[in-house]
Amino acid sequence: MIRAFDALSLPVLRWLDPEDAHRLAIQGLRFLPPVKPRTDDPKLAVRAFGLNFPNPVGLAAGFDKSAEVPDALLRLGFGFVEIGSVTPKPQFGNPRPRLFRLERDEAVINRMGFNNDGADAALRRLAARAQNGGIVGVNVGANKDSPDRVADYVKLIETFAPVASYFTVNISSPNTPGLRNLQEGALLDDLLAKVIDARERVRQKAGDTPVLLKIAPDLSLAQLDDVVHVARSRKVDGMIVSNTTIGRPSTLREQMRAKEQGGLSGRPLFRLSTRMVAETYVRVEGAFPLIGVGGIDSGGAALTKIRAGASLIQLYSSLVYKGLGLVEDIKRDLASTLLRTGRDSLSEIVGADAATLTAEDWPTL
């Protein structure tokens, strides 16, 4: 069914304006038949952040910003889905056009600006599906015009704790002015201290909700040292590496389109984001797991990200070019690798290449 859907929908969606295509995809998923997903190979199961993931392939934040179709996405075979970024108040985001395909590079540039329906709408939807099971994380962000962005994150933690499988604190989007400043030492320490305190305050009523930190791929290694130090000292449950990049590789074919402002994702981000996974992995020293994101468009790319240090992975931009069938392709390839190498779980190869990768020349953008 998914193959047939891809064959019919991809040419149509690629013909449309990217944001219109995205809206149409969301609407289409609303009508997806409630088919039970294929059972995953038990060897693909991952235990991370205190949660049991049926497989390591997740959908990154940015697709289902307002929690409209998380269950439909889980039925497509994802091991977990991350909704958001959600902000306390509804937000239109930046003016259109703000989403651009770089077709020949299999890349995307976006400057969406945290457009979403706001916390109240997302909360209603997540509360309505709370008994359905499945891992649905909530990516939280601050309103652009907020006088106190830290307070926004705290409010969202308190609001969504009863319905979130985990939280992602998104301070790495390049599309909200000044947001990435929250990755800096003292500001990050203050933010995480208050976020973790909020999580602890609601723990008795909402249970133990893991808190993850999502970082940019454009950090220097000195900045990464500081981020990891703060994350470890504040005892976050994990990190997501990484968000989109503001860099533009000289190798991009779509040079005119590449001049658009915003974050670049897709295949050109793969080497940099994978190197950042490895660099983060060696600094974390097993204190918590990582989710690897950026340019994963095949089973081989997923395996490389895992061997760099990711316990779980997330996709988004590659689905624009490869379709939803990519999810099953990646899972099949990972299961075949485990069978061929005689391993019982992916945990046996997480970080196997991290030290080697950190010794290589820095990937150029």
Side-chain angles (χ1 to χ4, degrees), residues 180-223:
R180 285 189 170 192
N181 294 340
L182 290 173
Q183 295 176 118
E184 298 173 2
L187 293 175
L188 178 61
D189 186 63
D190 178 63
L191 170 65
L192 290 182
K194 290 176 178 175
V195 162
I196 296 297
D197 182 61
R199 191 267 305 274
E200 295 306 307
R201 284 200 304 274
V202 298
R203 183 195 292 265
Q204 189 169 356
K205 291 189 297 184
D208 190 6
T209 312
V211 171
L212 316 183
L213 176 67
K214 187 168 186 175
I215 63 171
D218 307 310
L219 296 174
S220 69
L221 293 184
Q223 290 172 318

Side-chain angles (χ1 to χ4, degrees), residues 292-319:
V293 197
I296 300 171
D297 60 4
S298 67
L303 183 63
T304 299
K305 199 78 80 174
I306 291 168
R307 292 182 66 90
S311 295
L312 301 159
I313 61 168
Q314 289 179 323
L315 316 175
Y316 182 6
S317 297
S318 58
L319 300 174

Side-chain angles (χ1 to χ4, degrees), residues 13-279:
L13 293 175
R14 296 267 289 280
W15 179 75
L16 296 173
D17 168 84
E19 193 163 347
D20 292 340
H22 173 257
R23 191 66 238 162
L24 183 60
I26 292 284
Q27 295 297 341
L29 286 167
R30 289 178 181 276
F31 299 101
L32 188 72
V35 178
K36 188 176 180 180
R38 183 184 304 172
T39 302
D40 288 314
D41 188 322
K43 289 186 175 183
L44 294 180
V46 176
R47 173 79 176 171
F49 325 120
L51 301 172
N52 294 314
F53 296 79
N55 72 71
V57 185
L59 179 67
F63 179 80
D64 191 7
K65 291 176 177 290
S66 299
E68 296 179 80
V69 288
D71 290 300
L73 291 163
L74 288 169
R75 290 197 299 271
L76 293 173
F78 286 104
F80 61 109
V81 169
E82 188 170 311
I83 68 102
S85 293
V86 178
T87 55
K89 296 184 296 185
Q91 187 162 276
F92 177 77
N94 294 319
R96 294 181 65 168
R98 54 192 178 178
L99 185 62
F100 309 90
R101 300 187 198 99
L102 283 66
E103 297 271 356
R104 290 183 293 167
D105 301 296
E106 295 192 14
V108 172
I109 291 174
N110 92 83
R111 51 172 181 263
M112 303 298 289
F114 284 174
N115 58 305
N116 71 104
D117 294 342
D120 289 346
L123 179 63
R124 285 196 304 271
R125 292 164 185 154
L126 290 178
R129 55 86 49 201
Q131 304 304 313
N132 294 354
I135 296 176
V136 179
V138 178
N139 185 299
V140 293
N143 280 115
K144 182 178 180 179
D145 60 356
S146 174
D148 187 345
R149 287 178 172 174
V150 172
D152 280 10
Y153 288 98
V154 168
K155 179 180 180 180
L156 291 167
I157 296 293
E158 294 172 341
T159 299
F160 284 97
V163 296
S165 300
Y166 68 86
F167 285 109
T168 296
V169 178
N170 185 0
I171 53 173
S172 51
S173 169
N175 301 316
T176 297
L179 188 75
R180 285 189 170 192
N181 294 340
L182 290 173
Q183 295 176 118
E184 298 173 2
L187 293 175
L188 178 61
D189 186 63
D190 178 63
L191 170 65
L192 290 182
K194 290 176 178 175
V195 162
I196 296 297
D197 182 61
R199 191 267 305 274
E200 295 306 307
R201 284 200 304 274
V202 298
R203 183 195 292 265
Q204 189 169 356
K205 291 189 297 184
D208 190 6
T209 312
V211 171
L212 316 183
L213 176 67
K214 187 168 186 175
I215 63 171
D218 307 310
L219 296 174
S220 69
L221 293 184
Q223 290 172 318
L224 181 62
D225 288 340
D226 291 342
V227 167
V228 172
H229 173 73
V230 173
R232 292 182 63 172
S233 65
R234 290 300 174 185
K235 294 183 168 53
V236 302
D237 299 283
M239 288 175 61
I240 300 183
V241 187
S242 64
N243 214 314
T244 58
T245 179
I246 58 174
R248 297 291 186 268
S250 60
T251 54
L252 288 176
R253 299 176 183 179
E254 303 273 7
Q255 283 294 325
M256 290 302 296
R257 187 59 56 83
K259 294 178 181 178
E260 295 288 350
Q261 289 186 330
L264 174 72
S265 60
R267 178 174 285 184
L269 181 57
F270 179 74
R271 290 186 65 225
L272 176 61
S273 61
T274 303
R275 177 62 176 266
M276 290 298 286
V277 168
E279 296 286 354

